[in-house]
Amino acid sequence: NIVGNPQLAADSFASKRALLCRASIDPDLLDQLATAASAVQFVSNPVEKLGHRWIEQPSRVGAAIELALNRPILHKWLQSVTACCANGRIEGRLVDTRPGGVDHLDWHDDQIPNAQFGVSLHLRQCHYEGGAFELRDVATKNRLFRHANATAGDLVIFEVSPRSQHRVMRLLSGQARQVFTGWFIAVPD
């Protein structure tokens, strides 16, 4: 389902610097990943000056999601939508954000070497208050994109550059928010 009209997606990405792709993974695979994620171990991950989250350790479900997202047909589509380089791979980890107002990440940019764009895949359907993902322009501080209360399988693709910042707002109540977060990392030719 994710491989739709690349020109429409490219226009949206260019204007908002982000794109929401619904039903990005086969529902049966998504169910299997969500079931597996319910049994993984998460460790505390304080991020200096930005906030806190929990990350899967060791990475098992995250590694499986990397395999699912590193399909050649998806890479070709992403390249046409984001104008990124052709050679690369998606790398990331499974993150658990828990309710109670502690877990969040403040405004930041992901200055990861060779990162072309960021990805955030919502793993399971859950109901919560807070926890929205937002992207803004650094110069004007104008919000460009917001995604809250995600549906399982939602994939957010967002710009990673000095001109953009993103955050994950505090998860106030409800169920934990489980997402795979990562980046498309360019591999030099």
Side-chain angles (χ1 to χ4, degrees), residues 45-98:
N45 181 236
V47 183
E48 187 175 343
K49 298 182 181 177
L50 291 180
H52 183 270
R53 61 191 170 190
W54 298 81
I55 59 170
E56 176 191 23
Q57 192 172 346
S59 179
R60 292 194 175 105
V61 175
I65 294 170
E66 284 181 358
L67 287 173
L69 293 178
N70 279 303
R71 301 184 315 259
I73 192 168
L74 177 58
H75 280 210
K76 185 176 179 180
W77 186 83
L78 288 169
Q79 178 190 12
S80 64
V81 169
T82 65
C84 73
C85 71
N87 296 322
R89 63 176 280 104
I90 292 175
E91 298 177 4
R93 63 191 165 260
L94 185 61
V95 174
D96 195 61
T97 307
R98 299 175 182 175

Side-chain angles (χ1 to χ4, degrees), residues 5-59:
N5 182 323
Q7 188 56 54
L8 291 175
D11 292 346
S12 180
F13 187 83
S15 68
K16 297 178 184 176
R17 301 184 206 166
L19 181 66
L20 171 62
C21 302
R22 298 257 187 215
S24 60
I25 290 190
D26 176 81
D28 292 334
L29 176 58
L30 190 62
D31 286 344
Q32 291 174 2
L33 291 168
T35 298
S38 67
V40 303
Q41 179 176 346
F42 289 92
V43 296
S44 177
N45 181 236
V47 183
E48 187 175 343
K49 298 182 181 177
L50 291 180
H52 183 270
R53 61 191 170 190
W54 298 81
I55 59 170
E56 176 191 23
Q57 192 172 346
S59 179

